């Protein structure tokens, strides 16, 4: 009987298979990259604000989106008058009439204007206002940051659609 030797092609195929499996294993163990997490969160915010825009058009009332720094959440609700807010039994962020968006621990949320004006120390910062006509206004331009990557959010005045822009995450400190 003759001893069989492997050909070079067979050895290369086996090595390619081993390297592919190793790459898949390392990628799955490593978790989500900061860039992928930032993109995913940006898409989630875009979907959240599209839902708020829809609720505004459906209800026929102005909606406001506020950021609560201590709770790290966006809250969207009808633009209640001060008297309506006083009549509520509990905190507006605990109300079932509020649509919330909660951020993960590794996400840093800030607004350029609020940081510059010291408003991040307040209970909330108003970000956007949606109108039943489909338009919107950006009161404070928010941003999110993971490590040294950042995305900034603005709203189209006429269409109410979210405008996402990239940033380097530098120059704005979270308060």
């Amino acid at each position: 009987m003759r001893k069989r030797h492997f050909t070079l092609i067979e050895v290369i195929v086996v090595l390619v298979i081993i390297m592919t499996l190793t790459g898949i294993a390392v990628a799955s163990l490593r978790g989500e990259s900061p860039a992928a997490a930032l993109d995913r969160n940006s898409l989630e915010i875009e979907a959240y604000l599209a839902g708020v825009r829809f609720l505004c058009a459906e209800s026929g009332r102005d909606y406001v989106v506020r950021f609560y720094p201590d709770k790290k959440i966006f809250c969207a609700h009808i633009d209640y008058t001060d008297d309506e807010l006083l009549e509520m039994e509990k905190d507006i962020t605990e109300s079932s009439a509020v649509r919330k968006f909660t951020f993960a621990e590794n996400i840093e949320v800030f607004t350029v204007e609020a940081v510059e004006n010291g408003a991040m120390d307040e209970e909330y910062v108003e970000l956007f206002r949606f109108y039943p006509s489909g338009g919107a206004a950006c009161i404070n331009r928010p941003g999110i940051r993971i490590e040294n990557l950042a995305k900034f959010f603005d709203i189209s005045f006429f269409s109410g659609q979210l405008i996402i822009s990239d940033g380097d995450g530098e120059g704005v400190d979270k308060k």
Side-chain angles (χ1 to χ4, degrees):
M1 249 183 161
R2 295 180 90 210
K3 195 173 186 184
R4 182 176 189 277
H5 295 284
F6 292 107
T7 65
L8 183 58
I9 302 267
E10 291 171 330
V11 171
I12 290 174
V13 168
V14 169
L15 287 175
V16 166
I17 291 171
I18 290 172
M19 288 179 3
T20 303
L21 291 174
T22 303
I24 291 170
V26 167
S28 67
L29 294 175
R30 213 172 94 194
E32 189 176 40
S33 73
L38 191 66
D39 288 341
R40 182 181 47 77
N41 276 277
S42 296
L43 289 174
E44 289 173 356
I45 291 169
E46 186 172 19
Y48 167 77
L49 292 175
V52 172
R53 196 170 89 217
F54 175 77
L55 288 173
C56 177
E58 186 179 56
S59 71
R61 289 189 67 179
D62 290 359
Y63 261 71
V64 65
V65 177
R66 295 176 174 163
F67 171 58
Y68 289 79
D70 59 330
K71 298 178 182 179
K72 208 172 175 182
I73 59 173
F74 282 178
C75 284
H77 54 80
I78 293 172
D79 188 19
Y80 295 109
T81 64
D82 290 338
D83 292 337
E84 289 173 319
L85 286 172
L86 289 174
E87 290 174 9
M88 290 187 178
E89 294 178 14
K90 53 186 168 185
D91 183 13
I92 188 74
T93 61
E94 303 302 321
S95 171
S96 61
V98 171
R99 184 163 182 182
K100 297 179 201 169
F101 182 86
T102 306
F103 290 93
E105 287 297 317
N106 64 335
I107 302 288
E108 212 176 306
V109 184
F110 58 90
T111 69
V112 177
E113 295 84 357
V115 168
E116 290 172 354
N117 300 331
M120 290 296 278
D121 298 331
E122 302 291 326
E123 179 186 2
Y124 65 85
V125 178
E126 187 172 325
L127 301 177
F128 303 114
R129 187 174 289 270
F130 291 91
Y131 306 108
S133 63
C138 182
I139 311 302
N140 285 293
R141 185 175 178 228
I144 60 173
R145 179 173 35 217
I146 299 177
E147 294 179 9
N148 64 340
L149 303 172
K151 294 228 183 231
F152 297 91
F153 305 95
D154 208 341
I155 281 278
S156 169
F157 179 75
F158 295 109
S159 69
Q161 290 185 322
L162 188 66
I163 301 166
I164 303 172
S165 57
D166 293 328
D168 62 2
E170 301 297 324
V172 179
D173 295 324
K174 179 184 170 204
K175 297 266 179 164

